[in-house]
Amino acid sequence: MRTTISAAAAGLAVLAASLAAPAAAFASDGAATKALHLRKGLTLRIPSSWKVDDSRKDWVRVITGACPTKGTDTYGFRDSGCHSFWIMGPKAIEIGHELFQKYTPDGPFYPATDVGPCPVKKNLYIGRTTLADKGLRQVGPGHKAYYRDWAGTCAPLGPGRQTARFHQREWYLPTSKILVIDQWRTPGLSTILKNATWH
């Protein structure tokens, strides 16, 4: 019995270490990271391999992996398959709900009047979204964000069963007018936000 408990504890320790490793790597100040300076003095340290598209001030996109839509007509918030997260400013927040109403944490960011494309799988469309988690989350010292995790399903248009799922995580800082949106459960992002600095 004692041997079994020791083995289980050792297994849990290995699992915890493996999960913590990416977060620790992202949070470090080593050569593998770079500073991303945002509005109101918010600074994130992100992996140097991530690419930042700040061509639109209130729609900053951080591309974390494959992004087949980059450079095409479909590239934007309503595209499919681009591994990324967004940092929205006041102009995006002003139109962030369905029918282009102002964003509030009571519903997912969805600036549209029609059915949106599935962010994680091409040729599918967003179905239902339900609130999976909510609370306050730290974004650097002295700043707490309204956090929401919206669980979404994707399916073909018309009758048909869902064939994909995604989570849209949102961190909203109403005083600073900053909204972070992640549809890919980006590894280490929660830690990056928690370790943010303000200048």
Side-chain angles (χ1 to χ4, degrees), residues 97 103-109 128-133 147-153 166-170 182:
H97 271 326
Y103 171 86
T104 63
D106 63 356
F109 184 86
R128 227 174 124 215
T129 54
T130 56
L131 186 60
D133 191 15
Y147 174 76
R148 300 291 185 267
D149 178 355
W150 298 97
T153 61
F166 70 98
H167 282 259
Q168 181 164 307
R169 300 187 299 167
E170 301 176 351
D182 176 31

PDB file of all heavy atoms in Angstrom, residues 97 103-109 128-133 147-153 166-170 182:
ATOM      1  N   HIS A  97     -20.152  42.916 -29.459  1.00  0.00           N
ATOM      2  CA  HIS A  97     -21.250  41.959 -29.292  1.00  0.00           C
ATOM      3  C   HIS A  97     -22.046  41.838 -30.585  1.00  0.00           C
ATOM      4  O   HIS A  97     -21.927  42.672 -31.492  1.00  0.00           O
ATOM      5  CB  HIS A  97     -22.176  42.386 -28.158  1.00  0.00           C
ATOM      6  CG  HIS A  97     -21.767  41.845 -26.817  1.00  0.00           C
ATOM      7  ND1 HIS A  97     -21.192  40.614 -26.638  1.00  0.00           N
ATOM      8  CD2 HIS A  97     -21.862  42.381 -25.577  1.00  0.00           C
ATOM      9  CE1 HIS A  97     -20.948  40.414 -25.354  1.00  0.00           C
ATOM     10  NE2 HIS A  97     -21.337  41.479 -24.689  1.00  0.00           N
ATOM     11  N   TYR A 103     -19.164  45.527 -26.229  1.00  0.00           N
ATOM     12  CA  TYR A 103     -18.827  44.293 -25.516  1.00  0.00           C
ATOM     13  C   TYR A 103     -19.017  44.465 -24.009  1.00  0.00           C
ATOM     14  O   TYR A 103     -18.682  45.503 -23.432  1.00  0.00           O
ATOM     15  CB  TYR A 103     -17.371  43.909 -25.784  1.00  0.00           C
ATOM     16  CG  TYR A 103     -16.898  42.770 -24.904  1.00  0.00           C
ATOM     17  CD1 TYR A 103     -17.121  41.455 -25.279  1.00  0.00           C
ATOM     18  CD2 TYR A 103     -16.260  43.026 -23.696  1.00  0.00           C
ATOM     19  CE1 TYR A 103     -16.710  40.407 -24.459  1.00  0.00           C
ATOM     20  CE2 TYR A 103     -15.838  41.983 -22.874  1.00  0.00           C
ATOM     21  CZ  TYR A 103     -16.074  40.671 -23.266  1.00  0.00           C
ATOM     22  OH  TYR A 103     -15.674  39.649 -22.452  1.00  0.00           O
ATOM     23  N   THR A 104     -19.565  43.433 -23.382  1.00  0.00           N
ATOM     24  CA  THR A 104     -19.573  43.276 -21.926  1.00  0.00           C
ATOM     25  C   THR A 104     -19.285  41.801 -21.660  1.00  0.00           C
ATOM     26  O   THR A 104     -19.488  40.953 -22.548  1.00  0.00           O
ATOM     27  CB  THR A 104     -20.931  43.655 -21.298  1.00  0.00           C
ATOM     28  OG1 THR A 104     -21.932  42.760 -21.793  1.00  0.00           O
ATOM     29  CG2 THR A 104     -21.307  45.097 -21.594  1.00  0.00           C
ATOM     30  N   PRO A 105     -18.852  41.443 -20.439  1.00  0.00           N
ATOM     31  CA  PRO A 105     -18.518  40.035 -20.175  1.00  0.00           C
ATOM     32  C   PRO A 105     -19.723  39.097 -20.112  1.00  0.00           C
ATOM     33  O   PRO A 105     -19.551  37.909 -19.881  1.00  0.00           O
ATOM     34  CB  PRO A 105     -17.813  40.089 -18.804  1.00  0.00           C
ATOM     35  CG  PRO A 105     -17.443  41.507 -18.582  1.00  0.00           C
ATOM     36  CD  PRO A 105     -18.438  42.324 -19.346  1.00  0.00           C
ATOM     37  N   ASP A 106     -20.941  39.610 -20.332  1.00  0.00           N
ATOM     38  CA  ASP A 106     -22.110  38.737 -20.237  1.00  0.00           C
ATOM     39  C   ASP A 106     -22.314  37.868 -21.479  1.00  0.00           C
ATOM     40  O   ASP A 106     -23.209  37.024 -21.516  1.00  0.00           O
ATOM     41  CB  ASP A 106     -23.381  39.548 -19.944  1.00  0.00           C
ATOM     42  CG  ASP A 106     -23.721  40.543 -21.059  1.00  0.00           C
ATOM     43  OD1 ASP A 106     -22.941  40.650 -22.021  1.00  0.00           O
ATOM     44  OD2 ASP A 106     -24.764  41.208 -20.960  1.00  0.00           O
ATOM     45  N   GLY A 107     -21.497  38.040 -22.490  1.00  0.00           N
ATOM     46  CA  GLY A 107     -21.577  37.210 -23.684  1.00  0.00           C
ATOM     47  C   GLY A 107     -20.237  37.203 -24.386  1.00  0.00           C
ATOM     48  O   GLY A 107     -19.412  38.097 -24.173  1.00  0.00           O
ATOM     49  N   PRO A 108     -19.981  36.199 -25.243  1.00  0.00           N
ATOM     50  CA  PRO A 108     -18.681  36.137 -25.930  1.00  0.00           C
ATOM     51  C   PRO A 108     -18.508  37.275 -26.936  1.00  0.00           C
ATOM     52  O   PRO A 108     -19.479  37.760 -27.512  1.00  0.00           O
ATOM     53  CB  PRO A 108     -18.715  34.776 -26.636  1.00  0.00           C
ATOM     54  CG  PRO A 108     -20.155  34.443 -26.766  1.00  0.00           C
ATOM     55  CD  PRO A 108     -20.863  35.086 -25.609  1.00  0.00           C
ATOM     56  N   PHE A 109     -17.248  37.677 -27.135  1.00  0.00           N
ATOM     57  CA  PHE A 109     -16.934  38.666 -28.166  1.00  0.00           C
ATOM     58  C   PHE A 109     -17.349  38.080 -29.510  1.00  0.00           C
ATOM     59  O   PHE A 109     -16.908  37.000 -29.905  1.00  0.00           O
ATOM     60  CB  PHE A 109     -15.430  38.950 -28.156  1.00  0.00           C
ATOM     61  CG  PHE A 109     -15.002  40.033 -29.110  1.00  0.00           C
ATOM     62  CD1 PHE A 109     -15.028  41.364 -28.735  1.00  0.00           C
ATOM     63  CD2 PHE A 109     -14.548  39.714 -30.384  1.00  0.00           C
ATOM     64  CE1 PHE A 109     -14.613  42.364 -29.602  1.00  0.00           C
ATOM     65  CE2 PHE A 109     -14.140  40.698 -31.269  1.00  0.00           C
ATOM     66  CZ  PHE A 109     -14.175  42.036 -30.877  1.00  0.00           C
ATOM     67  N   ARG A 128     -23.489  26.607 -30.883  1.00  0.00           N
ATOM     68  CA  ARG A 128     -23.840  27.102 -29.556  1.00  0.00           C
ATOM     69  C   ARG A 128     -22.603  27.443 -28.745  1.00  0.00           C
ATOM     70  O   ARG A 128     -21.578  26.786 -28.876  1.00  0.00           O
ATOM     71  CB  ARG A 128     -24.598  25.984 -28.834  1.00  0.00           C
ATOM     72  CG  ARG A 128     -25.853  26.455 -28.161  1.00  0.00           C
ATOM     73  CD  ARG A 128     -26.630  25.286 -27.601  1.00  0.00           C
ATOM     74  NE  ARG A 128     -26.817  25.556 -26.192  1.00  0.00           N
ATOM     75  CZ  ARG A 128     -26.819  24.656 -25.259  1.00  0.00           C
ATOM     76  NH1 ARG A 128     -26.645  23.409 -25.551  1.00  0.00           N
ATOM     77  NH2 ARG A 128     -27.009  24.993 -24.029  1.00  0.00           N
ATOM     78  N   THR A 129     -22.706  28.451 -27.887  1.00  0.00           N
ATOM     79  CA  THR A 129     -21.645  28.721 -26.912  1.00  0.00           C
ATOM     80  C   THR A 129     -22.267  28.772 -25.520  1.00  0.00           C
ATOM     81  O   THR A 129     -23.358  29.334 -25.345  1.00  0.00           O
ATOM     82  CB  THR A 129     -20.913  30.058 -27.181  1.00  0.00           C
ATOM     83  OG1 THR A 129     -21.870  31.117 -27.247  1.00  0.00           O
ATOM     84  CG2 THR A 129     -20.119  29.998 -28.468  1.00  0.00           C
ATOM     85  N   THR A 130     -21.598  28.145 -24.558  1.00  0.00           N
ATOM     86  CA  THR A 130     -22.064  28.151 -23.179  1.00  0.00           C
ATOM     87  C   THR A 130     -20.909  28.553 -22.265  1.00  0.00           C
ATOM     88  O   THR A 130     -19.743  28.282 -22.572  1.00  0.00           O
ATOM     89  CB  THR A 130     -22.594  26.771 -22.755  1.00  0.00           C
ATOM     90  OG1 THR A 130     -21.572  25.793 -22.972  1.00  0.00           O
ATOM     91  CG2 THR A 130     -23.827  26.381 -23.559  1.00  0.00           C
ATOM     92  N   LEU A 131     -21.239  29.163 -21.157  1.00  0.00           N
ATOM     93  CA  LEU A 131     -20.223  29.625 -20.215  1.00  0.00           C
ATOM     94  C   LEU A 131     -19.666  28.440 -19.443  1.00  0.00           C
ATOM     95  O   LEU A 131     -20.388  27.766 -18.711  1.00  0.00           O
ATOM     96  CB  LEU A 131     -20.820  30.661 -19.260  1.00  0.00           C
ATOM     97  CG  LEU A 131     -19.852  31.344 -18.308  1.00  0.00           C
ATOM     98  CD1 LEU A 131     -18.776  32.106 -19.065  1.00  0.00           C
ATOM     99  CD2 LEU A 131     -20.611  32.287 -17.376  1.00  0.00           C
ATOM    100  N   ALA A 132     -18.367  28.185 -19.612  1.00  0.00           N
ATOM    101  CA  ALA A 132     -17.721  27.050 -18.942  1.00  0.00           C
ATOM    102  C   ALA A 132     -17.012  27.457 -17.659  1.00  0.00           C
ATOM    103  O   ALA A 132     -16.853  26.644 -16.747  1.00  0.00           O
ATOM    104  CB  ALA A 132     -16.720  26.386 -19.896  1.00  0.00           C
ATOM    105  N   ASP A 133     -16.562  28.706 -17.570  1.00  0.00           N
ATOM    106  CA  ASP A 133     -15.845  29.159 -16.374  1.00  0.00           C
ATOM    107  C   ASP A 133     -15.850  30.685 -16.343  1.00  0.00           C
ATOM    108  O   ASP A 133     -15.899  31.332 -17.391  1.00  0.00           O
ATOM    109  CB  ASP A 133     -14.397  28.648 -16.400  1.00  0.00           C
ATOM    110  CG  ASP A 133     -13.665  28.845 -15.082  1.00  0.00           C
ATOM    111  OD1 ASP A 133     -14.328  29.110 -14.054  1.00  0.00           O
ATOM    112  OD2 ASP A 133     -12.426  28.746 -15.070  1.00  0.00           O
ATOM    113  N   TYR A 147     -12.676  37.349 -16.235  1.00  0.00           N
ATOM    114  CA  TYR A 147     -12.302  36.197 -17.061  1.00  0.00           C
ATOM    115  C   TYR A 147     -13.550  35.400 -17.416  1.00  0.00           C
ATOM    116  O   TYR A 147     -14.408  35.151 -16.559  1.00  0.00           O
ATOM    117  CB  TYR A 147     -11.324  35.300 -16.309  1.00  0.00           C
ATOM    118  CG  TYR A 147     -11.000  34.012 -17.031  1.00  0.00           C
ATOM    119  CD1 TYR A 147     -10.135  34.004 -18.117  1.00  0.00           C
ATOM    120  CD2 TYR A 147     -11.568  32.800 -16.627  1.00  0.00           C
ATOM    121  CE1 TYR A 147      -9.848  32.828 -18.796  1.00  0.00           C
ATOM    122  CE2 TYR A 147     -11.291  31.624 -17.288  1.00  0.00           C
ATOM    123  CZ  TYR A 147     -10.426  31.643 -18.371  1.00  0.00           C
ATOM    124  OH  TYR A 147     -10.144  30.474 -19.035  1.00  0.00           O
ATOM    125  N   ARG A 148     -13.639  35.007 -18.683  1.00  0.00           N
ATOM    126  CA  ARG A 148     -14.722  34.146 -19.146  1.00  0.00           C
ATOM    127  C   ARG A 148     -14.147  33.081 -20.075  1.00  0.00           C
ATOM    128  O   ARG A 148     -13.260  33.361 -20.886  1.00  0.00           O
ATOM    129  CB  ARG A 148     -15.787  34.943 -19.919  1.00  0.00           C
ATOM    130  CG  ARG A 148     -16.460  36.052 -19.109  1.00  0.00           C
ATOM    131  CD  ARG A 148     -17.342  35.517 -18.007  1.00  0.00           C
ATOM    132  NE  ARG A 148     -18.075  36.558 -17.302  1.00  0.00           N
ATOM    133  CZ  ARG A 148     -17.652  37.161 -16.195  1.00  0.00           C
ATOM    134  NH1 ARG A 148     -16.468  36.839 -15.674  1.00  0.00           N
ATOM    135  NH2 ARG A 148     -18.392  38.080 -15.603  1.00  0.00           N
ATOM    136  N   ASP A 149     -14.663  31.871 -19.944  1.00  0.00           N
ATOM    137  CA  ASP A 149     -14.311  30.773 -20.851  1.00  0.00           C
ATOM    138  C   ASP A 149     -15.607  30.295 -21.481  1.00  0.00           C
ATOM    139  O   ASP A 149     -16.462  29.706 -20.809  1.00  0.00           O
ATOM    140  CB  ASP A 149     -13.625  29.650 -20.064  1.00  0.00           C
ATOM    141  CG  ASP A 149     -13.266  28.440 -20.936  1.00  0.00           C
ATOM    142  OD1 ASP A 149     -13.639  28.421 -22.130  1.00  0.00           O
ATOM    143  OD2 ASP A 149     -12.638  27.506 -20.427  1.00  0.00           O
ATOM    144  N   TRP A 150     -15.768  30.590 -22.771  1.00  0.00           N
ATOM    145  CA  TRP A 150     -16.973  30.210 -23.506  1.00  0.00           C
ATOM    146  C   TRP A 150     -16.692  28.941 -24.307  1.00  0.00           C
ATOM    147  O   TRP A 150     -15.808  28.931 -25.161  1.00  0.00           O
ATOM    148  CB  TRP A 150     -17.411  31.337 -24.438  1.00  0.00           C
ATOM    149  CG  TRP A 150     -17.759  32.595 -23.712  1.00  0.00           C
ATOM    150  CD1 TRP A 150     -16.948  33.680 -23.520  1.00  0.00           C
ATOM    151  CD2 TRP A 150     -18.994  32.904 -23.071  1.00  0.00           C
ATOM    152  NE1 TRP A 150     -17.607  34.635 -22.789  1.00  0.00           N
ATOM    153  CE2 TRP A 150     -18.865  34.199 -22.500  1.00  0.00           C
ATOM    154  CE3 TRP A 150     -20.202  32.214 -22.918  1.00  0.00           C
ATOM    155  CZ2 TRP A 150     -19.894  34.812 -21.793  1.00  0.00           C
ATOM    156  CZ3 TRP A 150     -21.229  32.829 -22.214  1.00  0.00           C
ATOM    157  CH2 TRP A 150     -21.078  34.106 -21.661  1.00  0.00           C
ATOM    158  N   ALA A 151     -17.417  27.881 -24.020  1.00  0.00           N
ATOM    159  CA  ALA A 151     -17.272  26.616 -24.749  1.00  0.00           C
ATOM    160  C   ALA A 151     -18.173  26.656 -25.978  1.00  0.00           C
ATOM    161  O   ALA A 151     -19.381  26.889 -25.859  1.00  0.00           O
ATOM    162  CB  ALA A 151     -17.648  25.442 -23.851  1.00  0.00           C
ATOM    163  N   GLY A 152     -17.571  26.461 -27.148  1.00  0.00           N
ATOM    164  CA  GLY A 152     -18.327  26.552 -28.391  1.00  0.00           C
ATOM    165  C   GLY A 152     -18.318  25.252 -29.184  1.00  0.00           C
ATOM    166  O   GLY A 152     -17.407  24.438 -29.056  1.00  0.00           O
ATOM    167  N   THR A 153     -19.350  25.072 -29.989  1.00  0.00           N
ATOM    168  CA  THR A 153     -19.420  23.927 -30.896  1.00  0.00           C
ATOM    169  C   THR A 153     -19.436  24.438 -32.330  1.00  0.00           C
ATOM    170  O   THR A 153     -19.835  25.569 -32.601  1.00  0.00           O
ATOM    171  CB  THR A 153     -20.685  23.088 -30.651  1.00  0.00           C
ATOM    172  OG1 THR A 153     -21.848  23.907 -30.879  1.00  0.00           O
ATOM    173  CG2 THR A 153     -20.725  22.558 -29.216  1.00  0.00           C
ATOM    174  N   PHE A 166     -14.453  24.208 -29.498  1.00  0.00           N
ATOM    175  CA  PHE A 166     -13.388  25.151 -29.178  1.00  0.00           C
ATOM    176  C   PHE A 166     -13.764  25.890 -27.905  1.00  0.00           C
ATOM    177  O   PHE A 166     -14.909  25.839 -27.443  1.00  0.00           O
ATOM    178  CB  PHE A 166     -13.154  26.143 -30.327  1.00  0.00           C
ATOM    179  CG  PHE A 166     -14.273  27.136 -30.521  1.00  0.00           C
ATOM    180  CD1 PHE A 166     -14.187  28.415 -29.984  1.00  0.00           C
ATOM    181  CD2 PHE A 166     -15.417  26.791 -31.235  1.00  0.00           C
ATOM    182  CE1 PHE A 166     -15.218  29.328 -30.155  1.00  0.00           C
ATOM    183  CE2 PHE A 166     -16.454  27.692 -31.415  1.00  0.00           C
ATOM    184  CZ  PHE A 166     -16.350  28.968 -30.870  1.00  0.00           C
ATOM    185  N   HIS A 167     -12.782  26.548 -27.311  1.00  0.00           N
ATOM    186  CA  HIS A 167     -13.016  27.407 -26.147  1.00  0.00           C
ATOM    187  C   HIS A 167     -12.543  28.805 -26.487  1.00  0.00           C
ATOM    188  O   HIS A 167     -11.447  28.978 -27.013  1.00  0.00           O
ATOM    189  CB  HIS A 167     -12.259  26.885 -24.924  1.00  0.00           C
ATOM    190  CG  HIS A 167     -12.942  25.726 -24.274  1.00  0.00           C
ATOM    191  ND1 HIS A 167     -13.703  25.862 -23.133  1.00  0.00           N
ATOM    192  CD2 HIS A 167     -13.006  24.416 -24.620  1.00  0.00           C
ATOM    193  CE1 HIS A 167     -14.186  24.679 -22.790  1.00  0.00           C
ATOM    194  NE2 HIS A 167     -13.777  23.795 -23.674  1.00  0.00           N
ATOM    195  N   GLN A 168     -13.385  29.786 -26.222  1.00  0.00           N
ATOM    196  CA  GLN A 168     -12.994  31.189 -26.400  1.00  0.00           C
ATOM    197  C   GLN A 168     -12.791  31.786 -25.010  1.00  0.00           C
ATOM    198  O   GLN A 168     -13.738  32.071 -24.292  1.00  0.00           O
ATOM    199  CB  GLN A 168     -14.070  31.960 -27.169  1.00  0.00           C
ATOM    200  CG  GLN A 168     -13.684  33.421 -27.404  1.00  0.00           C
ATOM    201  CD  GLN A 168     -14.536  34.075 -28.459  1.00  0.00           C
ATOM    202  OE1 GLN A 168     -14.661  33.570 -29.582  1.00  0.00           O
ATOM    203  NE2 GLN A 168     -15.140  35.207 -28.132  1.00  0.00           N
ATOM    204  N   ARG A 169     -11.508  31.958 -24.650  1.00  0.00           N
ATOM    205  CA  ARG A 169     -11.175  32.530 -23.344  1.00  0.00           C
ATOM    206  C   ARG A 169     -11.008  34.044 -23.492  1.00  0.00           C
ATOM    207  O   ARG A 169     -10.410  34.510 -24.464  1.00  0.00           O
ATOM    208  CB  ARG A 169      -9.888  31.918 -22.805  1.00  0.00           C
ATOM    209  CG  ARG A 169      -9.966  30.411 -22.627  1.00  0.00           C
ATOM    210  CD  ARG A 169      -8.730  29.868 -21.933  1.00  0.00           C
ATOM    211  NE  ARG A 169      -7.509  30.120 -22.687  1.00  0.00           N
ATOM    212  CZ  ARG A 169      -6.275  29.963 -22.188  1.00  0.00           C
ATOM    213  NH1 ARG A 169      -6.106  29.576 -20.939  1.00  0.00           N
ATOM    214  NH2 ARG A 169      -5.206  30.191 -22.946  1.00  0.00           N
ATOM    215  N   GLU A 170     -11.549  34.783 -22.527  1.00  0.00           N
ATOM    216  CA  GLU A 170     -11.511  36.240 -22.592  1.00  0.00           C
ATOM    217  C   GLU A 170     -11.075  36.822 -21.247  1.00  0.00           C
ATOM    218  O   GLU A 170     -11.555  36.403 -20.193  1.00  0.00           O
ATOM    219  CB  GLU A 170     -12.891  36.793 -22.961  1.00  0.00           C
ATOM    220  CG  GLU A 170     -13.406  36.272 -24.288  1.00  0.00           C
ATOM    221  CD  GLU A 170     -14.809  36.728 -24.638  1.00  0.00           C
ATOM    222  OE1 GLU A 170     -15.481  37.336 -23.775  1.00  0.00           O
ATOM    223  OE2 GLU A 170     -15.248  36.458 -25.765  1.00  0.00           O
ATOM    224  N   ASP A 182      -8.688  34.492 -26.698  1.00  0.00           N
ATOM    225  CA  ASP A 182      -7.908  33.329 -27.137  1.00  0.00           C
ATOM    226  C   ASP A 182      -8.859  32.193 -27.489  1.00  0.00           C
ATOM    227  O   ASP A 182      -9.601  31.711 -26.637  1.00  0.00           O
ATOM    228  CB  ASP A 182      -6.959  32.896 -26.006  1.00  0.00           C
ATOM    229  CG  ASP A 182      -6.175  31.632 -26.343  1.00  0.00           C
ATOM    230  OD1 ASP A 182      -5.881  31.408 -27.537  1.00  0.00           O
ATOM    231  OD2 ASP A 182      -5.873  30.863 -25.416  1.00  0.00           O
TER     232      ASP A 182
END
